[in-house]
Amino acid sequence: MNATDALEFLLVGARAVQVGTANFVNPRATLEILEGIELFLRHQGIDRLEAFIGTLETTCLFPFADEACPVV
């Protein structure tokens, strides 16, 4: 796992990510992930992680099936 992996989970709405066994391979994995997330947020001008969580915008991939793409 790396910062990109963690950011992908956060983007779709995860409020936490588990680093787990990545620490066995790289004892600094947690710190590197946190630093990578911080760098990404700073680069994007996002001041709080909360402002990023769950922000993925999608469009319906099934325009021919009304039941698969409910109008919100």
Side-chain angles (χ1 to χ4, degrees):
M1 170 168 282
N2 58 35
T4 301
D5 297 326
L7 286 162
E8 287 175 353
F9 285 117
L10 296 166
L11 180 63
V12 298
R15 302 194 73 71
V17 292
Q18 184 174 344
V19 177
T21 56
N23 286 305
F24 292 132
V25 177
N26 175 8
R28 289 191 37 83
T30 301
L31 293 174
E32 291 174 2
I33 291 168
L34 288 171
E35 290 168 354
I37 291 171
E38 181 181 13
L39 181 64
F40 171 81
L41 294 176
R42 194 174 326 118
H43 184 267
Q44 295 297 312
I46 302 170
D47 60 346
R48 295 181 23 224
L49 181 58
E50 186 71 26
F52 177 75
I53 294 173
T55 58
L56 178 66
E57 293 184 22
T58 61
T59 57
C60 185
L61 300 176
F62 303 102
F64 54 85
D66 293 336
E67 65 276 1
C69 301
V71 176
V72 181

